[in-house]
Amino acid sequence: MFFSMKVMGLNPNSKPFAFAHFLLFLLGNVASAAVFTLQNRCSYTVWPGTLSGNGVATLGDGGFPLEPGAEIQFTAPSGWSGRLWARTGCSFDGSGIGTCVTGDCGNGLRCSGGGVPPATLAEFTIGFAGNGDKDFYDVSLVDGYNVGIGVLATGGTGDCKYAGCAADLNTVCPEELQVRDGGGTVVACKSACAAFNTSVFCCTGEHGTPQTCSATHYSEIFKNACPTAYSYAYDDASSTRTCSGSDYVIAFCP
Ligand SMILES: *[C@@H]1O[C@H](CO)[C@@H](O)[C@H](O)[C@H]1NC(C)=O
């Protein structure tokens, strides 16, 4: 009996062999998933929001509180594409209904849509077999800034460079871009596109191509403070990082 099973296992058409292939297939998928470790290094609570742009999976139920010094982990499956950001000054009732001063996603604790700009974004596409298992990631100020974010790739191979905005842009934000809370403190900094809605600042119309959309006085303030973050729509492509088989530490107030 034992012998016959062993022989059966070597037959490529046998069930055990097919099952071994199925396991390899599963392992292959697990290998390209990425573990996200979110850390709150701010002195205040943030309420991270997550949004999958391609509906692959909702991470962390879409949103949750993260106390100062706390961290939380979840796994972004192979092929996950989406963004994470911090919400600040939130107040939710027992059933999770409420609003935030910055990064609000409209429907309470758990986001089902993107955050309201201005908000600093960490953007990811996790590799899958069809793209050579390569992850793409960046930190973007294209929709403005609220909280510093740093993305550190760990354990992967390839470029895998740090992306982030560690500087506090709220302290250098020009007055015409400032968002203040009820107490008058600057809590976020708008993009020039959001503030002025012109084709030059929004890279639309005749400024809608990489050749005709250029840095502006405002995007340069962002770029100087945060050189490894995207500062405007067609900013230097080197702001996008790539890495394979990596996990990521995403820190707020890095
Ligand atoms: C921005 O300007 C365009 C046309 O110039 C207009 O269609 C659009 O509604 C404006 N957006 C906002 C948010 O004001």
Side-chain angles (χ1 to χ4, degrees):
M1 182 61 185
F2 177 69
F3 181 73
S4 73
M5 269 184 74
K6 221 176 154 191
V7 169
M8 193 174 80
L10 292 171
N11 175 352
N13 297 320
S14 73
K15 279 199 176 136
F17 193 85
F19 185 64
H21 262 231
F22 178 64
L23 280 181
L24 281 177
F25 166 79
L26 283 181
L27 286 171
N29 276 359
V30 167
S32 56
V35 175
F36 287 163
T37 302
L38 275 68
Q39 298 180 337
N40 182 7
R41 298 193 206 148
C42 304
S43 58
Y44 47 86
T45 301
V46 296
W47 287 260
T50 76
L51 180 70
S52 171
N54 62 355
V56 164
T58 302
L59 302 185
D61 289 330
F64 46 87
L66 200 57
E67 306 290 325
E71 69 173 42
I72 188 171
Q73 281 190 332
F74 37 76
T75 299
S78 170
W80 190 83
S81 182
R83 52 174 60 170
L84 302 97
W85 69 99
R87 292 173 289 170
T88 62
C90 302
S91 138
F92 298 113
D93 68 15
S95 46
I97 310 285
T99 56
C100 303
V101 174
T102 73
D104 193 40
C105 61
N107 60 343
L109 180 60
R110 299 176 173 189
C111 299
S112 57
V116 175
T120 319
L121 303 176
E123 303 178 306
F124 289 87
T125 296
I126 301 305
F128 49 97
N131 83 345
D133 273 341
K134 205 183 250 190
D135 302 341
F136 291 82
Y137 58 100
D138 65 76
V139 169
S140 171
L141 306 173
V142 174
D143 290 310
Y145 169 98
N146 63 338
V147 174
I149 301 183
V151 176
L152 186 68
T154 59
T157 55
D159 170 43
C160 305
K161 287 200 194 94
Y162 176 82
C165 182
D168 185 356
L169 276 183
N170 291 334
T171 63
V172 296
C173 183
E175 195 164 1
E176 56 273 34
L177 303 184
Q178 291 173 355
V179 176
R180 291 170 183 269
D181 68 9
T185 303
V186 177
V187 289
C189 191
K190 288 183 214 173
S191 69
C193 170
F196 308 115
N197 193 26
T198 65
S199 60
V200 169
F201 292 129
C202 298
C203 294
T204 52
E206 71 268 37
H207 299 281
T209 70
Q211 291 74 37
T212 57
C213 162
S214 36
T216 66
H217 158 66
Y218 291 111
S219 72
E220 272 164 8
I221 295 172
F222 286 10
K223 196 72 183 177
N224 289 340
C226 292
T228 65
Y230 262 99
S231 62
Y232 66 100
Y234 291 107
D235 196 0
D236 186 352
S238 69
S239 304
T240 294
R241 311 303 195 200
T242 60
C243 193
S244 294
S246 184
D247 293 326
Y248 297 93
V249 177
I250 301 154
F252 300 107
C253 304

Coordinates of all heavy atoms in Angstrom, one line a residue, residues 28-38 50-60 72-84 122-128 133-137 245-250:
G28 N 3.8 30.5 -4.7 CA 4.2 31.6 -5.7 C 3.4 32.9 -5.4 O 4.0 33.9 -5.4
N29 N 2.1 32.7 -5.2 CA 1.3 33.9 -4.9 C 1.7 34.6 -3.6 O 1.8 35.8 -3.4 CB -0.2 33.6 -4.9 CG -0.7 33.6 -6.3 OD1 0.0 33.9 -7.3 ND2 -2.0 33.3 -6.5
V30 N 1.9 33.7 -2.6 CA 2.3 34.2 -1.2 C 3.6 35.0 -1.3 O 3.8 36.0 -0.7 CB 2.4 33.1 -0.2 CG1 3.0 33.5 1.1 CG2 1.0 32.5 0.1
A31 N 4.5 34.5 -2.1 CA 5.9 35.1 -2.2 C 5.8 36.5 -2.7 O 6.6 37.3 -2.3 CB 6.7 34.2 -3.2
S32 N 4.8 36.9 -3.6 CA 4.8 38.2 -4.1 C 3.9 39.1 -3.3 O 3.8 40.3 -3.6 CB 4.5 38.2 -5.6 OG 3.3 37.6 -5.8
A33 N 3.2 38.6 -2.3 CA 2.4 39.4 -1.4 C 3.4 40.3 -0.6 O 4.5 39.9 -0.5 CB 1.5 38.6 -0.5
A34 N 2.9 41.4 -0.1 CA 3.8 42.3 0.7 C 3.2 42.5 2.1 O 2.0 42.8 2.2 CB 4.0 43.6 0.0
V35 N 4.0 42.4 3.1 CA 3.5 42.8 4.4 C 3.8 44.3 4.6 O 4.9 44.8 4.5 CB 4.3 42.0 5.5 CG1 3.9 42.4 6.9 CG2 4.0 40.5 5.3
F36 N 2.7 45.0 4.9 CA 2.8 46.4 5.3 C 2.9 46.6 6.8 O 2.0 46.0 7.5 CB 1.6 47.2 4.8 CG 1.5 47.4 3.3 CD1 0.3 47.8 2.7 CD2 2.6 47.3 2.5 CE1 0.2 48.0 1.3 CE2 2.5 47.5 1.1 CZ 1.3 47.8 0.5
T37 N 3.9 47.2 7.3 CA 3.9 47.6 8.7 C 3.7 49.1 8.8 O 4.5 49.8 8.4 CB 5.2 47.2 9.4 OG1 5.5 45.8 9.2 CG2 5.3 47.5 10.9
L38 N 2.6 49.5 9.4 CA 2.3 50.9 9.5 C 2.7 51.3 10.9 O 2.3 50.7 11.9 CB 0.8 51.2 9.3 CG 0.4 51.4 7.9 CD1 0.5 50.1 7.1 CD2 -1.0 52.0 7.8
T50 N -7.1 53.5 3.9 CA -6.6 52.7 2.8 C -7.6 52.6 1.7 O -8.8 52.6 2.0 CB -6.2 51.3 3.2 OG1 -7.4 50.4 3.4 CG2 -5.4 51.3 4.6
L51 N -7.2 52.6 0.5 CA -8.1 52.5 -0.6 C -7.4 51.6 -1.7 O -6.3 52.0 -2.2 CB -8.5 53.8 -1.2 CG -9.4 53.8 -2.4 CD1 -10.8 53.3 -1.9 CD2 -9.5 55.2 -3.0
S52 N -8.0 50.6 -2.1 CA -7.5 49.8 -3.3 C -8.1 50.4 -4.5 O -9.4 50.5 -4.7 CB -7.9 48.3 -3.1 OG -7.6 47.6 -4.3
G53 N -7.3 50.7 -5.5 CA -7.8 51.3 -6.7 C -8.3 50.3 -7.7 O -9.1 50.6 -8.6
N54 N -7.9 49.0 -7.5 CA -8.4 48.0 -8.4 C -9.2 46.9 -7.7 O -9.5 45.8 -8.2 CB -7.2 47.3 -9.1 CG -6.2 46.6 -8.1 OD1 -6.4 46.7 -6.9 ND2 -5.2 45.9 -8.6
G55 N -9.7 47.2 -6.5 CA -10.6 46.3 -5.8 C -10.1 45.0 -5.4 O -10.8 44.0 -5.1
V56 N -8.7 44.8 -5.4 CA -8.2 43.5 -5.1 C -8.4 43.1 -3.6 O -8.8 41.9 -3.4 CB -6.6 43.4 -5.4 CG1 -6.0 42.2 -4.7 CG2 -6.4 43.4 -6.9
A57 N -8.3 44.0 -2.7 CA -8.6 43.7 -1.3 C -8.7 45.0 -0.5 O -8.0 46.0 -0.9 CB -7.5 42.8 -0.7
T58 N -9.5 45.0 0.6 CA -9.6 46.1 1.5 C -8.6 45.9 2.6 O -8.8 44.9 3.3 CB -11.0 46.3 2.0 OG1 -11.9 46.5 0.8 CG2 -11.1 47.5 2.9
L59 N -7.6 46.7 2.8 CA -6.7 46.5 3.9 C -7.1 47.2 5.1 O -7.5 48.4 5.1 CB -5.3 47.0 3.4 CG -4.7 46.4 2.2 CD1 -3.3 46.9 1.9 CD2 -4.7 44.9 2.2
G60 N -7.0 46.6 6.3 CA -7.3 47.2 7.5 C -8.7 47.7 7.6 O -8.9 48.7 8.2
I72 N 0.9 48.5 13.2 CA -0.1 47.5 12.8 C 0.4 46.9 11.5 O 1.1 47.6 10.7 CB -1.5 48.1 12.7 CG1 -2.5 47.0 12.5 CG2 -1.5 49.1 11.6 CD1 -4.0 47.5 12.5
Q73 N 0.2 45.6 11.3 CA 0.6 44.9 10.1 C -0.5 44.3 9.4 O -1.5 43.8 10.0 CB 1.6 43.8 10.5 CG 3.0 44.2 10.8 CD 3.9 43.0 10.9 OE1 3.6 41.9 11.2 NE2 5.2 43.3 10.6
F74 N -0.5 44.4 8.1 CA -1.4 43.6 7.3 C -0.7 43.3 5.9 O 0.3 43.9 5.6 CB -2.8 44.2 7.1 CG -2.8 45.7 6.9 CD1 -2.4 46.3 5.7 CD2 -3.2 46.5 8.0 CE1 -2.5 47.7 5.6 CE2 -3.3 47.9 7.9 CZ -2.9 48.5 6.7
T75 N -1.3 42.3 5.3 CA -0.7 41.8 4.0 C -1.4 42.3 2.8 O -2.7 42.1 2.7 CB -0.7 40.3 4.0 OG1 0.1 39.8 5.2 CG2 0.0 39.7 2.8
A76 N -0.7 42.9 1.9 CA -1.3 43.4 0.6 C -1.0 42.2 -0.3 O 0.1 41.9 -0.6 CB -0.6 44.6 0.1
P77 N -2.1 41.6 -0.9 CA -1.9 40.5 -1.7 C -1.3 40.8 -3.1 O -1.3 42.0 -3.5 CB -3.3 39.9 -2.0 CG -4.2 41.0 -1.6 CD -3.5 41.9 -0.6
S78 N -0.7 39.8 -3.7 CA -0.2 40.0 -5.0 C -1.2 40.7 -5.9 O -2.3 40.4 -5.9 CB 0.1 38.6 -5.5 OG 0.4 38.6 -6.9
G79 N -0.7 41.7 -6.7 CA -1.6 42.5 -7.6 C -2.3 43.6 -6.9 O -3.0 44.4 -7.6
W80 N -2.2 43.8 -5.6 CA -2.9 44.9 -4.9 C -2.3 46.2 -5.4 O -1.1 46.5 -5.5 CB -2.7 44.8 -3.4 CG -3.6 45.8 -2.6 CD1 -4.9 45.6 -2.3 CD2 -3.3 47.1 -2.1 NE1 -5.4 46.6 -1.6 CE2 -4.4 47.6 -1.5 CE3 -2.1 47.8 -2.2 CZ2 -4.4 48.8 -0.9 CZ3 -2.1 49.1 -1.6 CH2 -3.3 49.6 -0.9
S81 N -3.2 47.1 -5.7 CA -2.8 48.5 -6.1 C -3.7 49.4 -5.4 O -4.9 49.3 -5.3 CB -3.0 48.6 -7.6 OG -2.6 49.9 -8.0
G82 N -3.1 50.4 -4.7 CA -3.9 51.4 -4.0 C -3.0 52.3 -3.2 O -1.8 52.5 -3.5
R83 N -3.6 53.0 -2.3 CA -3.0 54.1 -1.5 C -3.3 54.0 0.0 O -4.3 53.5 0.3 CB -3.4 55.4 -2.1 CG -4.9 55.5 -2.1 CD -5.4 56.9 -2.6 NE -5.0 57.3 -3.9 CZ -5.4 58.3 -4.5 NH1 -6.4 59.1 -4.0 NH2 -5.0 58.7 -5.7
L84 N -2.4 54.6 0.7 CA -2.6 54.8 2.2 C -2.3 56.2 2.5 O -1.4 56.8 1.9 CB -1.7 53.9 3.0 CG -1.8 52.4 2.7 CD1 -0.7 52.0 1.7 CD2 -1.6 51.6 4.0
A122 N 0.8 57.5 0.2 CA 1.8 56.4 -0.1 C 1.0 55.5 -1.1 O 0.0 55.0 -0.8 CB 2.1 55.7 1.1
E123 N 1.6 55.4 -2.3 CA 1.0 54.7 -3.4 C 1.7 53.4 -3.7 O 3.0 53.5 -3.8 CB 0.9 55.6 -4.6 CG 0.1 56.9 -4.4 CD 0.1 57.8 -5.6 OE1 1.1 58.1 -6.1 OE2 -1.0 58.2 -5.9
F124 N 1.0 52.3 -3.9 CA 1.7 51.0 -4.2 C 1.0 50.3 -5.3 O -0.2 50.3 -5.4 CB 1.6 50.1 -2.9 CG 2.4 50.5 -1.8 CD1 2.0 51.4 -0.8 CD2 3.7 50.0 -1.6 CE1 2.8 51.8 0.2 CE2 4.5 50.3 -0.6 CZ 4.0 51.2 0.4
T125 N 1.8 49.5 -6.1 CA 1.3 48.4 -6.9 C 2.1 47.2 -6.5 O 3.4 47.3 -6.7 CB 1.3 48.7 -8.4 OG1 0.4 49.8 -8.7 CG2 0.9 47.5 -9.2
I126 N 1.5 46.2 -5.9 CA 2.3 45.0 -5.5 C 2.4 44.1 -6.7 O 1.4 43.8 -7.4 CB 1.7 44.3 -4.3 CG1 1.5 45.3 -3.1 CG2 2.4 43.1 -3.9 CD1 2.9 46.0 -2.7
G127 N 3.6 43.6 -6.9 CA 3.9 42.7 -8.1 C 3.1 41.5 -8.2 O 2.5 41.0 -7.2
F128 N 2.9 41.0 -9.4 CA 2.2 39.8 -9.7 C 2.9 39.1 -10.9 O 3.8 39.8 -11.5 CB 0.7 40.1 -10.0 CG 0.5 41.2 -11.1 CD1 0.3 40.9 -12.4 CD2 0.5 42.5 -10.7 CE1 0.1 41.9 -13.3 CE2 0.4 43.6 -11.6 CZ 0.1 43.2 -12.9
D133 N 6.6 40.2 -11.1 CA 6.6 40.3 -9.6 C 7.3 41.6 -9.1 O 8.0 41.6 -8.1 CB 7.3 39.1 -9.0 CG 6.3 37.9 -8.8 OD1 5.1 38.2 -8.7 OD2 6.7 36.8 -8.7
K134 N 7.2 42.7 -9.8 CA 7.8 43.9 -9.4 C 6.9 44.8 -8.7 O 5.8 45.1 -9.2 CB 8.4 44.6 -10.7 CG 9.6 45.5 -10.4 CD 10.0 46.2 -11.7 CE 11.3 45.7 -12.2 NZ 11.8 46.5 -13.4
D135 N 7.2 45.3 -7.5 CA 6.4 46.3 -6.8 C 6.8 47.7 -7.3 O 7.9 48.0 -7.6 CB 6.6 46.2 -5.3 CG 6.4 44.9 -4.7 OD1 5.7 44.0 -5.3 OD2 6.9 44.6 -3.6
F136 N 5.8 48.6 -7.4 CA 6.0 50.0 -7.6 C 5.5 50.8 -6.4 O 4.4 50.5 -5.9 CB 5.3 50.4 -8.9 CG 5.8 49.9 -10.2 CD1 5.5 48.6 -10.6 CD2 6.7 50.6 -10.9 CE1 6.0 48.0 -11.7 CE2 7.3 50.0 -12.1 CZ 6.9 48.7 -12.5
Y137 N 6.2 51.8 -6.0 CA 5.7 52.6 -4.8 C 6.3 54.0 -4.9 O 7.3 54.2 -5.5 CB 6.1 51.9 -3.5 CG 7.5 51.6 -3.3 CD1 8.3 52.5 -2.5 CD2 8.2 50.6 -3.9 CE1 9.7 52.3 -2.2 CE2 9.6 50.3 -3.7 CZ 10.3 51.2 -2.9 OH 11.6 51.0 -2.7
G245 N 9.7 41.3 -4.3 CA 9.7 40.4 -3.1 C 9.9 41.1 -1.8 O 10.4 40.5 -0.8
S246 N 9.5 42.4 -1.7 CA 9.8 43.2 -0.5 C 8.6 43.3 0.4 O 7.4 43.1 0.0 CB 10.2 44.6 -0.9 OG 10.6 45.4 0.2
D247 N 8.9 43.6 1.7 CA 7.8 44.1 2.6 C 8.1 45.5 2.8 O 9.2 46.0 2.4 CB 7.9 43.3 3.9 CG 7.6 41.8 3.8 OD1 6.7 41.5 2.9 OD2 8.2 41.0 4.5
Y248 N 7.1 46.3 3.4 CA 7.3 47.7 3.5 C 6.9 48.2 4.9 O 5.9 47.8 5.5 CB 6.4 48.4 2.5 CG 6.8 48.0 1.1 CD1 6.2 47.0 0.4 CD2 7.8 48.7 0.4 CE1 6.6 46.6 -0.9 CE2 8.3 48.4 -0.8 CZ 7.7 47.3 -1.5 OH 8.1 46.9 -2.7
V249 N 7.8 49.1 5.4 CA 7.5 49.8 6.6 C 7.0 51.2 6.2 O 7.7 52.0 5.5 CB 8.7 50.0 7.6 CG1 8.4 50.8 8.8 CG2 9.2 48.6 8.0
I250 N 5.8 51.5 6.6 CA 5.2 52.8 6.2 C 5.0 53.6 7.5 O 4.2 53.3 8.3 CB 3.8 52.6 5.5 CG1 4.0 51.7 4.3 CG2 3.2 53.9 5.2 CD1 2.8 50.9 3.9

